[in-house]
Amino acid sequence: MAAMTVTSPPERTAFRTCPLCEATCGLELTVVDDEVTRIRGDRLDVFSHGFVCPKGSTLRQLHADPDRLRRPLVRRDGELVEVGWEEAFAEVEALLGPVIAEHGRDAVGAYVGNPNAHNLAGLLYLKPLLKALGSRNVFSASTVDQRPKELACAWLYGTALTVAVPDLDRTDLLVVLGANPYASNGSLATAPDWPGRIEAMRARGGRLVVVDPRRSRTAEEADVHLAIRPGTDALLLAATITALARTGRIDPGAAGPHLRGLDSVLDALAPLTPEAVAADVGVDAAAIEALADELAAAPRAAVYGRIGTTTAEFGTLASWLVDVLNAVTGNLDVTGGAMFPKAVAGAANTRGEPGRGRATRIGRHRSRVSGRAETMGELPVACLAEEIDTDGPGRIRALITVAGNPVLSTPNAGRLDAALATLDAYVAVDCYLNETTRHADVVLPPPSPLEKDHFDLAFHQLAIRNTANWSPAVLEADPDQPAEWEVLARLALVLQGMGADADPAIVDDLVVGALLASAVGDPHGPVHGRDPDELRVALGDRRGPARLVDLLVRLGPYGDGFGARTDPVAPGVAPLSLDVLLEHPHGVDLGALEPRLPEILRTESGQVELDAAGFLDDLPRLLAAVGRPVPEAVLVGRRDLRSNNSWMHNIEVLVKGRPRCTLHVHPDDAARWGVVDGALVRVAARVGAVEVVGEVTDAVRPGVVSLPHGWGHDAAGARLGVAGARPGVNSNLLTDDAVVDEPSGNAVLNGIPVTVRAVEAVEAVVT
Ligand code: SF4
């Protein structure tokens, strides 16, 4: 009898950057027979060195999730049913065409969700899609939690993503406000393994100060924890600056010659002394003085503010004051301070004339109902529901969403949920039927993350070290599945009136053509005056994001400039192009951050405009807030390592175990309100109420309760089997769409006045 031959299934190893959060960790994937069998950290990744959090290894489960949509859905007789792609695009045309024809382009709104920042197709093809739409009613997740920072940076430095990030690996003192990087892995400051980097800082003698109303996981590690009252970061920052100023300790150092208006800023802040704001901030004036002392004494220090500072009533001012504090302590744009990354591609601060730009204007149009100002081409998402549910000319009657779940993530979510049900037409690009997309008439699913190329166009601009990493798709998509860029391009073509079957390559070629035209016209760029057709030929046969990334990298500060640069950009690394990146599957390390002032500036004055009118005009609002009455309780959010907004709640391994959607209540408050650990409590705010399990803990300060966001998976019609079994409650049923950070229009998600009572106590009152 012949011996039987046993062949092992073909096994291969693939490397890619994790697309789930801003940390951009490198992953090593084992693939057997086109199935991913294991994911772990890529120890050779030039930035993450093997670090990975519990979410990273679940890309495998995400890919295999039976609830993940693989074919388009179209609503027929009230039910969403699977159809082919041609039928789906025909339906898009049939739904949106008449709305535009009858009511105009503003009648179609668009919402762009946060996952697009992690997604090449979104970063590159949403712009042409929104241009084709031509509506003023464009909203995004940026006005949920980061527009104040973007606006502050635009006013200070000239472009929204010119963000000074903490030089984590070289600082001696890190002051963190409103951020919990041990759980979030960082935001608007890209660094794989924040915890390891903070621990390394402390091991070399550095110190960590955390400012947070909660004793977060990060605060637990701090040398000093200032448990301030929610929403008072701007007052604390102003008072710290004033404490330095009145003792003659203002020293901007090397950044000094590039700062405009420092004296007038210090004059304007002068009333906000530690003594004046201490009661509002909720800490002693001495603690604020001590913070000033520590910053003045540290050889190198970096102040970093995130969610708690930007989802607050004075978000833009707080974001401004973070950078003012870095500047007045000599820590702006210096080693170990707050520094500016130099991204390999796509950054506005590496294009055009170094050190010169245009003023950033807001309010070029306003929302119809509340009159809120446009910022960066978008209206505040807090206005979305009222723009749908308020009758009158210009009402939003149809909506396009691309990723995101605004029913869980935006303020007064109950109102938005109800408004979505009234739309004449709703087209969603999404891989899940979630609490938002369950309202859609058409759902167009993109490929899974493992079926897409990846490159961090956005996060290279925010990274604490200059690196570059291209990740090819790991798995082949189903032959019927269009690439995500093709889905967005076809949508754009439908909106342009070119028909449901127009070729998406038209959009791709237009985008390339526009970028080439701009590049050859830029006298400061590497291809000025060259023939765009010659450059187009040099890009070869690639199409879609790969061609665009190749183009942007080659035009960027480390690029080959289509032959203009020949010297290595790092030891053994030729000037960059996509081909060069493909030779480095673990990424390319381009070195630590270096001082970049003044070439990075794109302001009208060519200086850091500390005294921009937008800041000084808003300051009286902050001054008027001093001494206001304090509500009985205010609500803040909470981040968990296993959660990423609402995205990852359908992955069993991430949500199993003890419930995480609980209300944290301080023991003193629990006693006052009759709250018992583990029992239901009712939380009520101006716009809504929820019942949730209470968790009594001294991790929150008295008068503050905390509820994580992204939960509330109990909506009928959503298809999230795992999440639906552990729904939690939607914290945004409590947040208020009428209260925003005034300059940016950003939602206020922290510091919401609420009342809290045990459910039994509420029932006793009612009966
Ligand atoms: S920290 Fe972020 S990027 Fe890194 S593995 Fe986790 S989810 Fe992915």
Side-chain angles (χ1 to χ4, degrees):
M1 198 169 111
M4 206 165 62
T5 306
V6 178
T7 53
S8 305
E11 178 176 312
R12 61 188 167 97
T13 302
F15 301 97
R16 67 168 298 124
T17 307
C18 176
L20 295 176
C21 90
E22 299 182 35
T24 71
C25 301
L27 304 177
E28 178 187 310
L29 300 91
T30 304
V31 187
V32 179
D33 261 352
D34 282 335
E35 189 181 328
V36 174
T37 57
R38 184 175 71 173
I39 299 180
R40 61 180 180 176
D42 174 9
R43 281 165 293 175
L44 298 179
D45 184 275
V46 296
F47 200 9
S48 60
H49 307 293
F51 175 80
V52 67
C53 87
K55 296 188 289 289
S57 62
T58 63
L59 279 177
R60 185 164 66 103
Q61 288 91 328
L62 179 62
H63 178 77
D65 187 348
D67 287 335
R68 183 173 64 80
L69 302 178
R70 288 153 173 86
R71 285 170 56 78
L73 302 177
V74 166
R75 195 170 294 278
R76 300 274 182 239
D77 300 323
E79 294 293 318
L80 284 166
V81 297
E82 284 193 359
V83 299
W85 282 93
E86 298 313 314
E87 186 176 343
F89 277 109
E91 185 72 7
V92 172
E93 185 176 31
L95 286 168
L96 297 183
V99 176
I100 293 171
E102 193 175 337
H103 302 286
R105 292 191 168 270
D106 291 342
V108 183
Y111 174 82
V112 174
N114 166 280
N116 289 291
H118 305 253
N119 178 4
L120 260 186
L123 289 165
L124 294 168
Y125 295 89
L126 273 167
K127 198 169 166 188
L129 188 157
L130 295 173
K131 195 168 176 200
L133 173 61
S135 170
R136 292 181 163 200
N137 286 313
V138 174
F139 307 84
S140 85
S142 290
T143 53
V144 176
D145 69 20
Q146 73 179 46
R147 185 51 45 84
K149 185 73 178 175
E150 295 170 328
L151 184 57
C153 289
W155 280 340
L156 284 166
Y157 310 114
T159 59
L161 285 187
T162 300
V163 175
V165 299
D167 188 11
L168 278 185
D169 295 341
R170 296 181 291 183
T171 197
D172 301 306
L173 170 65
L174 179 66
V175 179
V176 175
L177 298 101
N180 184 10
Y182 272 72
S184 70
N185 283 301
S187 179
L188 293 182
T190 285
D193 194 12
W194 266 78
R197 291 171 196 270
I198 287 175
E199 281 148 28
M201 176 190 74
R202 298 188 70 214
R204 63 177 182 263
R207 282 169 59 82
L208 173 67
V209 175
V210 172
V211 178
D212 199 308
R214 281 195 324 113
R215 193 176 64 248
S216 65
R217 176 74 189 83
T218 305
E220 282 173 5
E221 298 296 323
D223 297 284
V224 178
H225 173 208
L226 293 178
I228 65 169
R229 287 189 44 244
T232 62
D233 307 78
L235 289 175
L236 174 74
L237 289 159
T240 308
I241 294 164
T242 301
L244 291 164
R246 69 185 181 183
T247 49
R249 293 181 291 175
I250 299 297
D251 179 11
H258 309 298
L259 305 179
R260 193 188 81 179
L262 177 55
D263 288 343
S264 56
V265 169
L266 295 176
D267 286 347
L269 296 177
L272 298 172
T273 62
E275 297 76 19
V277 307
D280 298 273
V281 174
V283 298
D284 293 342
I288 303 174
E289 295 277 8
L291 175 59
D293 293 346
E294 187 147 19
L295 278 163
R300 303 175 297 187
V303 182
Y304 164 67
R306 192 52 193 105
I307 289 281
T309 60
T310 53
T311 56
E313 193 182 354
F314 302 104
T316 302
L317 290 178
S319 299
W320 167 56
L321 292 168
V322 164
D323 283 24
V324 174
L325 186 50
N326 279 318
V328 300
T329 52
N331 289 308
L332 185 66
D333 196 42
V334 296
T335 298
M339 303 191 77
F340 300 101
K342 187 191 274 187
V344 288
N349 59 37
T350 59
R351 293 197 298 269
E353 183 181 357
R356 284 284 166 193
R358 285 186 304 188
T360 298
R361 308 207 186 284
I362 64 171
R364 290 168 295 182
H365 61 269
R366 290 187 171 268
S367 69
R368 178 180 62 99
V369 179
S370 291
R372 297 269 177 219
E374 157 275 345
T375 59
M376 289 148 204
E378 298 173 2
L379 293 171
V381 75
C383 303
L384 176 55
E386 68 184 18
E387 291 296 328
I388 298 172
D389 70 16
T390 307
D391 232 340
R395 179 172 79 83
I396 295 178
R397 296 163 185 273
L399 187 67
I400 299 169
T401 64
V402 182
N405 193 351
V407 164
L408 296 193
S409 60
T410 63
N412 199 353
R415 181 177 183 182
L416 180 62
D417 193 32
L420 293 180
T422 69
L423 287 166
D424 295 350
Y426 172 15
V427 175
V429 178
D430 208 293
C431 57
Y432 280 109
L433 206 55
N434 60 31
E435 294 72 22
T436 300
T437 58
R438 72 191 175 108
H439 293 290
D441 299 299
V442 181
V443 186
L444 306 170
S448 100
L450 295 177
E451 296 166 340
K452 297 191 270 197
D453 297 336
H454 183 82
F455 184 80
D456 280 303
L457 266 179
F459 301 121
H460 286 142
Q461 300 185 45
L462 301 164
I464 65 147
R465 193 171 176 88
N466 294 320
T467 64
N469 205 332
W470 169 266
S471 305
V474 174
L475 301 175
E476 292 237 352
D478 186 276
D480 291 342
Q481 169 72 54
E484 189 166 11
W485 74 268
E486 292 174 310
V487 175
L488 299 178
R490 287 188 70 175
L491 264 181
L493 292 163
V494 169
L495 292 164
Q496 273 283 312
M498 296 179 72
D501 54 359
D503 184 354
I506 297 169
V507 174
D508 194 33
D509 288 340
L510 282 172
V511 175
V512 169
L515 285 172
L516 284 172
S518 166
V520 300
D522 177 2
H524 306 281
V527 294
H528 180 236
R530 290 182 56 182
D531 176 3
D533 289 335
E534 169 219 337
L535 302 179
R536 190 190 290 264
V537 170
L539 289 169
D541 296 332
R542 292 188 177 107
R543 290 293 177 270
R547 179 168 60 159
L548 288 175
V549 168
D550 188 30
L551 173 56
L552 290 169
V553 166
R554 296 176 78 170
L555 295 173
Y558 303 95
D560 70 3
F562 290 84
R565 169 186 275 146
T566 54
D567 49 314
V569 292
V573 181
L576 298 186
S577 64
L578 186 51
D579 286 338
V580 172
L581 291 176
L582 282 164
E583 292 166 8
H584 296 85
H586 309 289
V588 171
D589 181 19
L590 299 160
L593 305 189
E594 293 177 358
R596 292 192 64 196
L597 286 176
E599 59 90 3
I600 198 169
L601 298 174
R602 295 294 183 276
T603 53
E604 197 169 27
S605 67
Q607 291 198 290
V608 179
E609 298 186 355
L610 294 179
D611 62 345
F615 302 128
L616 297 181
D617 290 351
D618 196 34
L619 201 52
R621 200 168 59 90
L622 183 65
L623 291 161
V626 176
R628 286 191 307 194
V630 176
E632 177 186 65
V634 292
L635 177 74
V636 299
R638 190 164 85 237
R639 189 71 185 249
D640 186 273
L641 179 60
R642 289 171 181 271
S643 189
N644 192 4
N645 304 322
S646 65
W647 305 5
M648 304 298 283
H649 294 167
N650 214 47
I651 307 295
E652 177 73 33
V653 68
L654 292 176
V655 295
K656 68 181 183 185
R658 63 175 176 78
R660 295 184 178 86
C661 186
T662 57
L663 185 81
H664 282 185
V665 183
H666 189 274
D668 295 350
D669 291 334
R672 279 196 292 149
W673 303 329
V675 172
V676 175
D677 190 61
L680 269 187
V681 293
R682 186 170 196 273
V683 190
R686 185 188 79 83
V687 301
V690 300
E691 289 188 358
V692 60
V693 172
E695 190 175 341
V696 179
T697 168
D698 66 0
V700 286
R701 58 173 285 155
V704 176
V705 294
S706 167
L707 187 62
H709 73 282
W711 297 89
H713 301 291
D714 50 0
R719 290 185 203 165
L720 297 165
V722 172
R726 295 177 185 80
V729 301
N730 183 354
S731 65
N732 281 307
L733 293 172
L734 302 168
T735 53
D736 196 332
D737 52 344
V739 183
V740 296
D741 170 51
E742 287 294 333
S744 66
N746 199 87
V748 174
L749 306 180
N750 279 302
I752 311 301
V754 291
T755 57
V756 181
R757 296 292 181 269
V759 166
E760 297 78 6
V762 174
E763 284 169 354
V765 170
V766 172
T767 54

